[in-house]
């Protein structure tokens, strides 16, 4: 059985990014894939900022990434790039920490203007971490995700279609041993 970790790089669990994450967890779980979520903002801030590799929290989170077959990196866009919280965590992943893993970027922003943040900000970092199987990714505009009471979210049909396509590509890639099947 495949194992996917989602690195949630939002400073808030109330972000609409949570809608993308929750939907992804649901779809992958239904497909028989084990999914774990690391909410970077839940890790001790001092451990992240001071790069405390000896921290139990940091070691445990990095062990989850190491054990995964695939990594979904989820982030909001701030100032045309991924979040600072995510950057702190990515800096702790070993230089070749994503080698042999499939990666899928999920990014949310306030407008379509930051669509290229996936290609020009996030993918180069994933490549620097040894990632070679980086799927196209999904960029969502936050107006396409409605937040309901009880921390529930509704994704627009357009976002759902694109996210389903990317999650299916991830599933097929894992099924085929890391070879991307479009």
């Amino acid at each position: 059985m495949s194992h996917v970790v989602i690195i949630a790089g939002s400073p808030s669990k109330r972000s609409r990014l949570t809608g993308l994450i929750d939907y992804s967890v649901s779809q992958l779980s239904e497909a028989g894939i084990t999914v774990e979520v690391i909410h970077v903002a839940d890790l001790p801030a001092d451990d992240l900022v001071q790069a405390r590799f000896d921290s139990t929290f940091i070691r445990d989170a990095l062990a989850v990434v190491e054990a995964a077959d695939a990594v979904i990196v989820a982030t909001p866009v701030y100032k045309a790039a991924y979040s600072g919280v995510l950057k702190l965590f990515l800096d702790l992943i070993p230089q070749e920490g994503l080698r042999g893993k499939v990666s899928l970027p999920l990014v949310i922003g306030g407008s379509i203007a930051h669509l290229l943040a996936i290609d020009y900000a996030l993918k180069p970092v994933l490549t620097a971490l040894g990632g070679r199987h980086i799927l196209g990714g999904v960029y969502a505009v936050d107006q396409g995700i409605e937040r309901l009471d009880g921390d529930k979210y509704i994704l627009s049909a357009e976002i759902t279609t694109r996210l389903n396509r990317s999650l299916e590509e991830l599933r097929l890639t894992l099924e085929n041993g890391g070879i991307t099947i479009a």
Side-chain angles (χ1 to χ4, degrees):
M1 178 184 297
S2 295
H3 179 233
V4 173
V5 63
I6 299 175
I7 301 172
S10 177
S12 170
K13 286 184 183 175
R14 297 253 322 130
S15 163
R16 285 182 172 83
L17 181 66
T18 301
L20 293 176
I21 293 168
D22 290 351
Y23 185 84
S24 298
V25 169
S26 173
Q27 293 301 111
L28 292 170
S29 296
E30 281 182 26
I33 296 171
T34 303
V35 183
E36 287 185 77
V37 180
I38 298 170
H39 291 279
V40 178
D42 287 347
L43 297 171
D46 283 349
D47 292 353
L48 287 167
V49 171
Q50 296 180 27
R52 290 188 180 139
F53 290 95
D54 60 340
S55 160
T56 301
F57 298 102
I58 299 300
R59 282 196 325 260
D60 290 350
L62 292 176
V64 170
V65 173
E66 183 179 356
D69 301 304
V71 177
I72 295 175
V73 180
T75 184
V77 171
Y78 298 127
K79 310 293 187 219
Y82 50 89
S83 71
V85 171
L86 179 62
K87 174 70 168 141
L88 288 169
F89 185 73
L90 293 177
D91 284 348
L92 298 174
I93 295 175
Q95 189 66 35
E96 295 291 314
L98 298 184
R99 182 157 309 282
K101 299 179 189 313
V102 180
S103 300
L104 174 63
L106 295 183
V107 178
I108 190 166
S111 76
I112 198 70
H114 297 293
L115 171 67
L116 294 176
I118 291 176
D119 291 325
Y120 291 106
L122 191 52
K123 283 185 178 181
V125 174
L126 300 178
T127 300
L129 292 171
R132 298 297 178 266
H133 303 287
I134 304 170
L135 303 179
V138 175
Y139 182 90
V141 176
D142 62 5
Q143 291 89 351
I145 301 173
E146 182 182 352
R147 186 178 336 170
L148 305 174
D149 291 335
D151 295 327
K152 302 288 183 199
Y153 299 85
I154 297 176
L155 281 58
S156 71
E158 184 265 337
I159 291 173
T160 300
T161 298
R162 289 188 299 110
L163 188 52
N164 282 340
R165 191 176 322 131
S166 289
L167 293 172
E168 179 65 6
E169 182 181 12
L170 175 63
R171 185 190 68 73
L172 288 171
T173 302
L174 288 170
E175 201 172 273
N176 290 290
I179 300 167
T180 303
I181 307 294

